[in-house]
Amino acid sequence: MFRTKRSGLIRRLWRSRAPVEGDGETDRGTHGSGGCCMGKTAKVAKPNAGSEAELKALTHSILKKIKEKQLEVLLQAVESKGGARSPCLLLPSKVDAKVGQQSYSLPMLLYKVFRWPDLRHSSELKRLSCCESYGKINPELVCCNPHHMSRLCELESPPPPYSRYPMDYLKPPDSPDSGPSSSDIGGTTHSAPVGLSDSMAMQESGERAHWCVVAYWEEKTRVGRLYSVQESSLDIFYDLPQGNGFCLGQLCSDNKSQLVQMVRAKIGYGIQLTREPDGVWVYNRSCYPIFIKSATLDNPDSRTLLVHKVFPGFSIKAFDYDKAGSLQRPNDHEFTQQPRTGFTVQISFVKGWGQCYTRQFISSCPCWLEVIFNTR
């Protein structure tokens, strides 16, 4: 039978749909899509044969109405799992599709089929700032590229007791295990405040002011120089097709630890750090969880810090500008440990730290980042 290019694209797209739990496929990129913060998940039951056939027929009928060039854009995004830069897929936002008793908008259907089978409502989503539809309210055409979206990390309230990172556990600044705030953590390690001179020199030379700098650490040793960030968005990755940003794979590391090397290889597409009007967002582009500690994610009246687990495909507001202004309390232990340039956010790849882990301090994590904000 004669097969057109369009029908071939549609078949490839259907084969690349997001797997549902129990269908015999595994995709770490969609693991944990039910929520964030210490492993809150929602299982998705495998659809029965009838609903699967109905979904397939509906998806095929919709894809057949999409232009061939648009199908190629969608296929590029889906097959690369967001690794390749793909343009927006602008389609009518008012078209509804019905699966069983449930109605979905056209964008929601494509997001469910190709990224998150458990997706229930558009309020669970956050559009990435790279998208043409970012910030637009009720446009006639909306981007339906599934990899221009992320899932919102919903913070548990109150957080479970095992995710708390008590202030009492923080060691004095001169302790060997206190992390980058210490100037005595061995060998060629640089403390964040001292290393910041790399970036400050750039600013003094007349270059555009940075809004943050990023330090990459392997356990207690900082690897490479501080990365100064001027653009509103930064990709931090180990291996990313068409990658442009802070490539950790290009840094020279002398660490021979098997655990460090294993975690380094799992960083993959890494994270996207974005400065937006309401704060700084972190999008987990990798196939494994990341762990974040930030003072603005915590309850301002709490004497504990929280370490938040962010699953692949999820975004979290790691730094809130409004909250940061009200948290500068001179007697607060957390803020007396901050570098003199402002607040920091700590992000660990793959491995967590805190009370529910064997690693009590982030300086024991194999691969992690320190994001230091310029608040001046």
Side-chain angles (χ1 to χ4, degrees):
M1 185 176 69
F2 179 73
R3 293 181 178 179
T4 65
K5 181 179 179 181
R6 173 185 292 274
S7 63
L9 291 171
I10 292 173
R11 282 193 300 275
R12 285 174 63 185
L13 278 166
W14 181 251
R15 287 197 298 267
S16 301
R17 69 192 184 278
V20 178
E21 185 171 333
D23 65 359
E25 299 179 52
T26 57
D27 184 355
R28 287 187 297 266
T30 58
H31 172 70
S33 57
C36 291
C37 303
M38 309 317 296
K40 183 174 63 176
T41 60
K43 292 187 177 180
V44 186
K46 182 181 178 182
N48 58 46
S51 60
E52 175 77 1
E54 184 180 5
L55 179 63
K56 180 178 180 179
L58 178 61
T59 305
H60 275 65
S61 67
I62 288 175
L63 294 178
K64 287 176 182 178
K65 299 176 184 177
I66 298 177
K67 295 177 181 179
E68 193 171 287
K69 288 290 186 183
Q70 292 177 315
L71 289 176
E72 292 175 347
V73 167
L74 181 59
L75 185 63
Q76 179 190 30
V78 170
E79 288 191 337
S80 70
K81 298 186 183 298
R85 291 195 193 97
S86 54
C88 288
L89 178 63
L90 296 175
L91 297 172
S93 60
K94 305 299 182 184
V95 177
D96 287 335
K98 194 169 185 179
V99 182
Q101 300 298 315
Q102 189 72 39
S103 293
Y104 301 101
S105 66
L106 176 56
M108 279 287 290
L109 179 68
L110 294 181
Y111 302 153
K112 281 179 66 69
V113 170
F114 294 110
R115 285 207 77 180
W116 302 290
D118 68 326
L119 185 63
R120 297 178 296 273
H121 195 273
S122 60
S123 62
E124 302 172 25
L125 297 171
K126 180 189 183 302
R127 191 171 295 279
L128 300 179
S129 61
C130 64
C131 183
E132 288 182 27
S133 299
Y134 175 78
K136 295 183 179 178
I137 301 175
N138 298 324
E140 290 186 8
L141 296 178
V142 65
C143 177
C144 298
N145 187 327
H147 289 276
H148 285 192
M149 302 295 292
S150 64
R151 291 287 290 270
L152 274 172
C153 184
E154 299 177 0
L155 304 183
E156 296 181 351
S157 181
Y162 55 77
S163 73
R164 291 191 174 275
Y165 188 79
M167 299 300 301
D168 296 341
Y169 274 49
L170 288 175
K171 295 190 177 183
D174 57 353
S175 167
D177 291 330
S178 62
S181 295
S182 170
S183 60
D184 183 23
I185 49 181
T188 58
T189 309
H190 304 282
S191 68
V194 173
L196 199 58
S197 59
D198 302 343
S199 181
M200 291 174 68
M202 295 173 63
Q203 188 172 348
E204 291 172 358
S205 67
E207 294 192 20
R208 187 153 50 106
H210 63 274
W211 60 271
C212 78
V213 292
V214 180
Y216 171 61
W217 297 75
E218 289 179 354
E219 296 173 328
K220 297 177 183 177
T221 301
R222 201 187 86 195
V223 180
R225 293 170 64 89
L226 290 172
Y227 191 98
S228 181
V229 185
Q230 287 89 30
E231 302 298 329
S232 60
S233 181
L234 173 69
D235 290 325
I236 304 173
F237 57 94
Y238 186 81
D239 181 18
L240 177 66
Q242 305 172 7
N244 183 25
F246 189 9
C247 180
L248 305 180
Q250 293 182 347
L251 300 179
C252 295
S253 171
D254 297 326
N255 197 313
K256 305 300 182 184
S257 163
Q258 288 187 346
L259 180 60
V260 169
Q261 294 181 15
M262 179 193 72
V263 171
R264 192 189 302 144
K266 290 182 176 181
I267 294 173
Y269 294 176
I271 65 170
Q272 188 173 82
L273 190 70
T274 309
R275 182 179 61 171
E276 301 186 27
D278 60 340
V280 177
W281 287 80
V282 173
Y283 169 46
N284 184 4
R285 303 183 67 179
S286 75
C287 294
Y288 296 88
I290 60 173
F291 298 81
I292 296 183
K293 188 187 78 173
S294 169
T296 64
L297 286 173
D298 203 357
N299 185 333
D301 298 322
S302 174
R303 288 295 296 170
T304 61
L305 300 177
L306 305 180
V307 177
H308 297 273
K309 185 176 184 178
V310 182
F311 285 108
F314 278 74
S315 286
I316 188 170
K317 190 197 294 187
F319 187 70
D320 188 298
Y321 299 138
D322 292 336
K323 290 183 180 178
S326 62
L327 288 176
Q328 297 186 34
R329 300 167 295 192
N331 296 323
D332 190 308
H333 179 75
E334 169 68 4
F335 299 103
T336 60
Q337 303 304 315
Q338 299 286 355
R340 56 189 171 85
T341 52
F343 294 102
T344 66
V345 170
Q346 296 172 333
I347 304 170
S348 174
F349 294 103
V350 185
K351 300 295 183 181
W353 81 99
Q355 224 177 348
C356 59
Y357 295 93
T358 56
R359 301 169 187 83
Q360 291 298 303
F361 304 96
I362 193 169
S363 56
S364 300
C365 292
C367 304
W368 57 282
L369 301 170
E370 186 173 32
V371 183
I372 308 168
F373 296 103
N374 181 7
T375 57
R376 289 187 286 182

